[in-house]
Amino acid sequence: MSNSPGQDDADPRGRATRAASEFARYLRTETTGGIILLVATAIALLLANSGLADFYRAVRDTELGPEFLHLNLTVGTWAKDGLLALFFFVVGLELKRELVVGELSQLRKAALPVLAAIGGMIVPAVIALAVAWGEPGYEKAWAIPMATDIAFALGVLAVTASALPTGARVFLLSLAVVDDLGAILVIAIVFTAGFDLVAAAVAVAALALYAYLQHRRVRAWWLYVPLAVITWVAVHSTGIHATIAGVALGLLTRVRPDDGEERAPSVRLEHRLQPWSAGLAVPVFALFAAGISVNGEALGAVFTNPIPLAVMAGLVGGKLIGIFGASWLAVRLGLAGRPDGVYWRDIAALAVLGGVGFTVSLLIAELALPPDAAEEAKAAVLIASAFASLAAAALLLRRGRAHRLADDLST
């Protein structure tokens, strides 16, 4: 039988147990999603570099949908604007839960991952901007290495770091959630093409109605689904990237259960939608976004042109310097404390893992650059993410052995 909110408040152990259970479930889902995402990426690369390349691009560029409200989009754009809205809805749910009842709701615990995430966004952006300065597209390309991919990062962590303390995993998850919020703000502010006031008014009205229905404890899915579609179409028509609709709806969803209510709406929706997000939406997006040509000429461009070099420098070097540096500075200045049992070498390994940009970095590359330059930037994202994941895996395996040895010596 589930505890009521009052019982949880009175019993910190019960609340901690439920939080740990939620985290374990999230980790399992994202780990599976990371594997599916990796498979989808491999298929995309194989298709784009085989005799089926023309067929692959023809499918990706096929237009579907009515011209009304500019919804005659390509299959690739539907994956980017439509399916990723589901991914960002789940991110919004997780962010709301973390802010209200999770790790980010307690200032002392939230300070370290929040400051680490900020450092992990600012430093890569500054490095990328410095490397690419003056090149066509540098004005927006700096945003590409700012993101950390939750699915890939947690997948690597689950496979390689079972011996690390729970605090290390919670630190990475909280950091990635804040990182996603930063990416969402960048997408909303930097990549807004024009602004339609009428569509914005419709979007605001739809979101207000959603919030009102949540406040009134309405549970009719047949009201929420059309309302979510209306919100997405309206946000798409405003000129703001359509995935912002998903985030907004997630943030407006109720996260505290009422008396006698087994689970809050946000938890119910996460349980139902997260497998679809991690197992379908993100892999399909990767299937159409990661299909880039890999040959000598293309690889030569990646390692010689300033934009892809900026992306790789930002993800590989910038994330490590930003996350570790901000964490060290926050602890040194007394603004935050390290999680129990987590050492600086653990945080350094997690900072390297933060360089796995992937999903959101691929999205920003498509938004920031024209097609040819975007292809090079996406290749840089894939190369940097692969390097970061392999380097982090080696470091985390070593840290896991160190923690197991310490546990054996203490018993």
Side-chain angles (χ1 to χ4, degrees), residues 3 5-17:
N3 293 333
Q7 288 173 307
D8 274 349
D9 291 339
D11 182 8
R13 287 180 302 175
R15 183 172 55 188
T17 300

Side-chain angles (χ1 to χ4, degrees), residues 40-117:
T41 303
I43 293 173
L45 290 170
L46 287 172
L47 289 174
N49 294 277
S50 70
L52 295 173
D54 291 340
F55 172 75
Y56 168 77
R57 294 187 180 93
V59 172
R60 183 190 62 191
D61 298 335
T62 298
E63 290 190 356
L64 298 173
E67 292 189 19
F68 179 65
L69 298 177
H70 308 291
L71 293 178
N72 52 329
L73 308 175
T74 66
V75 171
T77 303
W78 275 112
K80 178 178 66 178
D81 291 4
L83 287 178
L84 276 195
L86 175 61
F87 164 75
F88 278 104
F89 177 64
V90 173
V91 168
L93 292 173
E94 180 63 21
L95 177 61
K96 176 74 175 287
R97 191 173 66 81
E98 287 293 321
L99 290 170
V100 176
V101 298
E103 289 294 318
L104 300 181
S105 65
Q106 303 174 47
L107 183 60
R108 181 69 179 175
K109 288 186 176 181
L112 187 64
V114 168
L115 293 172

Side-chain angles (χ1 to χ4, degrees), residues 212-269:
Y212 174 76
L213 293 174
Q214 283 288 297
H215 177 70
R216 298 295 298 177
R217 282 19 183 199
V218 174
R219 296 182 61 173
W221 65 268
W222 51 270
L223 286 176
Y224 286 117
V225 172
L227 192 57
V229 173
I230 291 170
T231 303
W232 182 88
V233 172
V235 171
H236 178 270
S237 300
T238 61
I240 300 172
H241 197 264
T243 52
I244 301 301
V247 179
L249 291 167
L251 291 174
L252 291 174
T253 304
R254 186 164 56 87
V255 296
R256 292 187 186 276
D258 292 333
D259 290 338
E261 189 176 30
E262 185 177 358
R263 293 182 299 180
S266 65
V267 177
R268 291 198 302 269
L269 285 169

Side-chain angles (χ1 to χ4, degrees), residues 332-357:
R332 183 84 176 191
L333 295 177
L335 301 175
R338 279 184 296 156
D340 292 339
V342 177
Y343 300 99
W344 284 118
R345 290 182 182 180
D346 300 326
I347 292 178
L350 295 172
V352 173
L353 187 55
V356 180

